[in-house]
């Protein structure tokens, strides 16, 4: 059983998108839950990619191909993760901050929030503070989410919060932050309302911020 999860991780590491898709389908047929496939197959594979990228064994082109394979698996899981009995928890706006092109984690958070019953507005990657502010004005969300994967871009989260303050909109929305370099301490320091280390806990945190649990 564990072998299949390893095969998914391995195929993802090798950037074999079609094989990742095929193995993801097979795992579902064999009774693995979407969460298990995500965590023990796809994310496990991407963690290995990250480690070898850091150690200079893999380079940007290989990582891009692995990211493409990850998305092939996520596409199959998406309808299952976003399937929801409840709806109307509110609106969740999310974006990856300015200068940052990483979107896999953001997409996962968006999917899980949608699955939990939020209406999700996804601003994409490389989102400037003004675009976050504009989205708060036009969508009036209950929660604004920001994702950052680089130590050099996480500082943009503070800028967004400052820009919201300048626009007089900071108190209209709860702010949730996350991404690999982000911590609870950093969230507190910049005046965010919440931090979550992964997509499932982002949902829990969002509900907690709205007094729904
Ligand atoms: Co980049 N990259 N990358 N990369 N990349 C990292 C982040 C890095 C840690 C790799 C490494 O050195 N080990 C490193 C950052 C070092 C640092 O700043 N400390 C790095 C670097 C250096 C770079 C470049 C600068 C490389 C270069 O060009 N020389 C460059 C920057 C480009 C840019 O953004 N301007 C770059 C580029 C890329 C690719 C484009 C090739 C590709 C991204 C493709 C894409 O996203 N479409 C890529 C990838 C894939 C990675 C790694 C390998 C994997 C990231 C990922 O998708 N993880 C990554 C290494 C790593 O993280 N281990 C790395 C899987 C995903 C499910 O996890 O995104 O962490 P994650 O999301 C999690 C949580 O963090 C959390 O929940 C998610 C799900 O559980 N979360 C939230 C995320 N957002 C949240 C928001 C929330 C709450 C929780 O609330 C709103």
């Amino acid at each position: 059983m564990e072998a299949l999860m390893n095969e998914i991780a391995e195929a993802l590491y090798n950037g074999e998108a079609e094989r990742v898709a095929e193995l993801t389908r097979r795992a579902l047929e064999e009774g693995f839950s979407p969460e298990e496939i995500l965590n023990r197959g796809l994310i496990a594979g991407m963690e290995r990619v990250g480690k070898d990228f850091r150690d200079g064994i893999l380079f940007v082109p290989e990582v891009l191909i692995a990211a493409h394979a990850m998305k092939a698996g996520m596409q199959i899981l998406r309808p299952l993760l976003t399937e929801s009995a409840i709806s109307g928890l509110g609106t969740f706006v999310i974006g990856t901050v300015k200068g940052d092109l990483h979107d896999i984690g953001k997409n996962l958070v968006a999917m899980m929030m949608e699955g939990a019953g939020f209406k999700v507005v996804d601003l994409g990657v490389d989102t400037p503070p003004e675009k976050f502010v504009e989205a708060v004005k036009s969508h009036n969300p209950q929660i604004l989410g920001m994702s950052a994967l680089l130590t050099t871009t996480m500082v943009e989260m503070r800028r967004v919060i400052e820009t919201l303050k300048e626009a007089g909109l900071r108190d209209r929305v709860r702010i949730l932050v996350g991404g690999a370099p982000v911590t609870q301490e950093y969230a507190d320091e910049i005046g965010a309302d919440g931090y979550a280390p992964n997509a499932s806990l982002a949902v829990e945190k969002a509900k907690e911020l709205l007094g729904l649990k």
Side-chain angles (χ1 to χ4, degrees):
M1 281 292 142
E2 199 53 41
L4 185 51
M5 293 300 111
N6 283 336
E7 267 187 79
I8 293 178
E10 176 93 13
L12 187 143
Y13 182 92
N14 293 329
E16 299 166 301
E18 273 176 31
R19 179 136 179 85
V20 168
E22 180 199 315
L23 291 168
T24 300
R25 276 192 215 97
R26 197 201 300 165
L28 287 171
E29 278 162 24
E30 290 189 13
F32 285 92
S33 71
E35 287 80 8
E36 270 178 300
I37 302 170
L38 186 63
N39 292 317
R40 290 167 50 210
L42 301 174
I43 293 184
M46 193 47 105
E47 273 167 10
R48 285 173 45 197
V49 171
K51 189 177 162 293
D52 284 356
F53 186 29
R54 187 195 60 214
D55 295 343
I57 297 166
L58 295 180
F59 298 94
V60 170
E62 287 125 318
V63 180
L64 264 179
I65 295 168
H68 179 67
M70 171 114 190
K71 288 186 179 180
M74 277 165 63
Q75 217 174 336
I76 290 163
L77 299 181
R78 188 173 196 280
L80 302 165
L81 292 171
T82 57
E83 199 169 72
S84 168
I86 40 163
S87 63
L89 289 193
T91 301
F92 176 66
V93 165
I94 186 166
T96 301
V97 297
K98 188 175 167 190
D100 201 320
L101 303 175
H102 297 84
D103 68 353
I104 295 174
K106 166 190 70 64
N107 294 349
L108 266 179
V109 173
M111 266 184 214
M112 298 282 205
M113 293 292 281
E114 201 180 329
F118 284 88
K119 177 184 168 217
V120 173
V121 178
D122 188 345
L123 304 177
V125 296
D126 191 16
T127 311
E130 301 71 34
K131 197 167 166 188
F132 280 109
V133 169
E134 206 38 60
V136 169
K137 270 191 207 150
S138 55
H139 297 286
N140 212 5
Q142 277 64 37
I143 304 198
L144 175 67
M146 289 185 266
S147 179
L149 264 286
L150 300 170
T151 43
T152 49
T153 58
M154 60 193 268
V155 293
E156 286 295 327
M157 292 176 162
R158 189 195 292 274
R159 284 204 191 114
V160 172
I161 295 177
E162 277 163 10
T163 314
L164 276 169
K165 278 186 190 155
E166 282 158 20
L169 295 169
R170 171 62 187 95
D171 297 333
R172 255 218 227 167
V173 68
R174 307 292 160 93
I175 296 177
L176 180 65
V177 293
V182 182
T183 59
Q184 181 65 57
E185 291 65 39
Y186 186 69
D188 293 342
E189 189 193 315
I190 63 174
D193 299 301
Y195 156 77
N198 62 45
S200 341
L201 290 175
V203 170
E204 296 303 306
K205 195 62 184 184
K207 287 185 181 167
E208 188 190 312
L209 289 176
L210 298 180
L212 298 171
K213 56 169 290 206

Short mmCIF file of all heavy atoms in Angstrom, two decimals, residues 5-6 8-10 12-13 36-50 70:
data_model
loop_
_atom_site.label_atom_id
_atom_site.label_comp_id
_atom_site.label_asym_id
_atom_site.label_seq_id
_atom_site.Cartn_x
_atom_site.Cartn_y
_atom_site.Cartn_z
N MET A 5 2.06 5.06 -2.75
CA MET A 5 2.34 6.46 -2.38
C MET A 5 3.78 6.83 -2.78
O MET A 5 4.04 7.92 -3.27
CB MET A 5 2.15 6.68 -0.87
CG MET A 5 0.72 6.56 -0.39
SD MET A 5 -0.40 7.73 -1.18
CE MET A 5 -1.38 6.64 -2.17
N ASN A 6 4.68 5.88 -2.58
CA ASN A 6 6.07 6.12 -2.97
C ASN A 6 6.20 6.27 -4.48
O ASN A 6 6.98 7.09 -4.97
CB ASN A 6 6.98 4.96 -2.51
CG ASN A 6 7.26 5.06 -1.04
OD1 ASN A 6 7.19 6.14 -0.46
ND2 ASN A 6 7.55 3.92 -0.42
N ILE A 8 3.95 7.46 -6.47
CA ILE A 8 3.45 8.80 -6.83
C ILE A 8 4.54 9.84 -6.56
O ILE A 8 4.85 10.68 -7.41
CB ILE A 8 2.15 9.14 -6.05
CG1 ILE A 8 1.01 8.22 -6.50
CG2 ILE A 8 1.76 10.61 -6.23
CD1 ILE A 8 -0.30 8.42 -5.78
N ALA A 9 5.14 9.73 -5.38
CA ALA A 9 6.20 10.69 -5.00
C ALA A 9 7.36 10.62 -6.00
O ALA A 9 7.89 11.65 -6.44
CB ALA A 9 6.68 10.39 -3.58
N GLU A 10 7.70 9.41 -6.38
CA GLU A 10 8.82 9.18 -7.31
C GLU A 10 8.51 9.76 -8.70
O GLU A 10 9.33 10.44 -9.31
CB GLU A 10 9.04 7.66 -7.39
CG GLU A 10 10.09 7.20 -8.36
CD GLU A 10 11.44 7.03 -7.70
OE1 GLU A 10 11.48 7.04 -6.46
OE2 GLU A 10 12.43 6.93 -8.43
N LEU A 12 6.42 12.08 -9.37
CA LEU A 12 6.39 13.55 -9.28
C LEU A 12 7.83 14.09 -9.31
O LEU A 12 8.13 15.04 -10.03
CB LEU A 12 5.68 13.96 -7.99
CG LEU A 12 5.44 15.46 -7.85
CD1 LEU A 12 4.10 15.72 -7.18
CD2 LEU A 12 6.52 16.18 -7.07
N TYR A 13 8.67 13.45 -8.53
CA TYR A 13 10.09 13.86 -8.49
C TYR A 13 10.69 13.83 -9.90
O TYR A 13 11.43 14.73 -10.29
CB TYR A 13 10.86 12.93 -7.56
CG TYR A 13 12.32 13.28 -7.42
CD1 TYR A 13 12.75 14.11 -6.39
CD2 TYR A 13 13.27 12.80 -8.32
CE1 TYR A 13 14.09 14.45 -6.26
CE2 TYR A 13 14.61 13.14 -8.20
CZ TYR A 13 15.01 13.97 -7.17
OH TYR A 13 16.33 14.32 -7.05
N GLU A 36 -4.84 11.60 1.88
CA GLU A 36 -3.67 10.70 1.98
C GLU A 36 -2.80 10.83 0.73
O GLU A 36 -1.57 10.91 0.81
CB GLU A 36 -4.15 9.24 2.03
CG GLU A 36 -4.42 8.71 3.40
CD GLU A 36 -4.93 7.27 3.31
OE1 GLU A 36 -5.98 7.03 2.68
OE2 GLU A 36 -4.27 6.39 3.89
N ILE A 37 -3.46 10.85 -0.43
CA ILE A 37 -2.71 10.92 -1.69
C ILE A 37 -1.95 12.25 -1.76
O ILE A 37 -0.78 12.30 -2.15
CB ILE A 37 -3.66 10.77 -2.90
CG1 ILE A 37 -4.39 9.42 -2.80
CG2 ILE A 37 -2.90 10.89 -4.22
CD1 ILE A 37 -5.53 9.25 -3.79
N LEU A 38 -2.64 13.29 -1.33
CA LEU A 38 -2.02 14.61 -1.34
C LEU A 38 -0.80 14.66 -0.43
O LEU A 38 0.30 15.05 -0.86
CB LEU A 38 -3.08 15.62 -0.87
CG LEU A 38 -2.74 17.08 -0.91
CD1 LEU A 38 -2.50 17.50 -2.35
CD2 LEU A 38 -3.91 17.90 -0.35
N ASN A 39 -0.99 14.22 0.81
CA ASN A 39 0.10 14.36 1.79
C ASN A 39 1.21 13.33 1.62
O ASN A 39 2.38 13.67 1.65
CB ASN A 39 -0.47 14.28 3.22
CG ASN A 39 -1.33 15.48 3.53
OD1 ASN A 39 -0.97 16.61 3.20
ND2 ASN A 39 -2.47 15.27 4.15
N ARG A 40 0.82 12.06 1.43
CA ARG A 40 1.85 11.01 1.43
C ARG A 40 2.41 10.75 0.04
O ARG A 40 3.46 10.13 -0.11
CB ARG A 40 1.28 9.74 2.04
CG ARG A 40 1.05 9.92 3.54
CD ARG A 40 0.21 8.83 4.15
NE ARG A 40 0.70 7.51 3.77
CZ ARG A 40 -0.07 6.42 3.64
NH1 ARG A 40 -1.36 6.52 3.87
NH2 ARG A 40 0.44 5.27 3.29
N GLY A 41 1.72 11.21 -1.00
CA GLY A 41 2.20 11.04 -2.37
C GLY A 41 2.74 12.34 -2.94
O GLY A 41 3.95 12.54 -3.06
N LEU A 42 1.82 13.27 -3.23
CA LEU A 42 2.21 14.49 -3.94
C LEU A 42 3.13 15.40 -3.10
O LEU A 42 4.22 15.77 -3.54
CB LEU A 42 0.96 15.26 -4.38
CG LEU A 42 -0.01 14.50 -5.30
CD1 LEU A 42 -1.27 15.31 -5.55
CD2 LEU A 42 0.66 14.16 -6.63
N ILE A 43 2.69 15.75 -1.90
CA ILE A 43 3.49 16.68 -1.09
C ILE A 43 4.82 16.02 -0.69
O ILE A 43 5.88 16.66 -0.71
CB ILE A 43 2.70 17.21 0.13
CG1 ILE A 43 1.55 18.10 -0.37
CG2 ILE A 43 3.59 17.99 1.10
CD1 ILE A 43 0.71 18.78 0.68
N ALA A 44 4.77 14.71 -0.39
CA ALA A 44 6.01 14.00 -0.04
C ALA A 44 7.02 14.08 -1.20
O ALA A 44 8.21 14.31 -0.99
CB ALA A 44 5.70 12.56 0.32
N GLY A 45 6.52 13.91 -2.43
CA GLY A 45 7.39 13.99 -3.60
C GLY A 45 7.96 15.39 -3.76
O GLY A 45 9.16 15.57 -4.03
N MET A 46 7.10 16.39 -3.54
CA MET A 46 7.55 17.77 -3.71
C MET A 46 8.56 18.16 -2.63
O MET A 46 9.46 18.96 -2.87
CB MET A 46 6.33 18.71 -3.71
CG MET A 46 6.63 20.09 -4.18
SD MET A 46 7.59 20.16 -5.72
CE MET A 46 6.36 20.60 -6.89
N GLU A 47 8.42 17.56 -1.44
CA GLU A 47 9.41 17.84 -0.39
C GLU A 47 10.80 17.34 -0.80
O GLU A 47 11.81 18.01 -0.56
CB GLU A 47 8.99 17.18 0.93
CG GLU A 47 8.07 18.08 1.72
CD GLU A 47 7.36 17.39 2.87
OE1 GLU A 47 7.70 16.23 3.19
OE2 GLU A 47 6.43 18.02 3.42
N ARG A 48 10.83 16.18 -1.46
CA ARG A 48 12.12 15.66 -1.94
C ARG A 48 12.70 16.57 -3.02
O ARG A 48 13.90 16.83 -3.06
CB ARG A 48 11.93 14.24 -2.49
CG ARG A 48 11.76 13.24 -1.37
CD ARG A 48 11.41 11.86 -1.88
NE ARG A 48 12.21 11.43 -3.00
CZ ARG A 48 11.91 10.42 -3.82
NH1 ARG A 48 10.80 9.73 -3.62
NH2 ARG A 48 12.69 10.08 -4.82
N VAL A 49 11.81 17.07 -3.87
CA VAL A 49 12.26 18.01 -4.92
C VAL A 49 12.88 19.24 -4.24
O VAL A 49 13.98 19.68 -4.61
CB VAL A 49 11.07 18.44 -5.82
CG1 VAL A 49 11.47 19.57 -6.75
CG2 VAL A 49 10.53 17.25 -6.61
N GLY A 50 12.19 19.75 -3.23
CA GLY A 50 12.66 20.95 -2.53
C GLY A 50 14.03 20.74 -1.91
O GLY A 50 14.89 21.61 -1.98
N MET A 70 2.92 17.87 -10.26
CA MET A 70 2.12 18.03 -9.03
C MET A 70 0.73 18.54 -9.39
O MET A 70 -0.28 18.08 -8.87
CB MET A 70 2.83 19.03 -8.11
CG MET A 70 2.03 19.45 -6.90
SD MET A 70 2.80 18.86 -5.39
CE MET A 70 1.54 19.21 -4.18
#
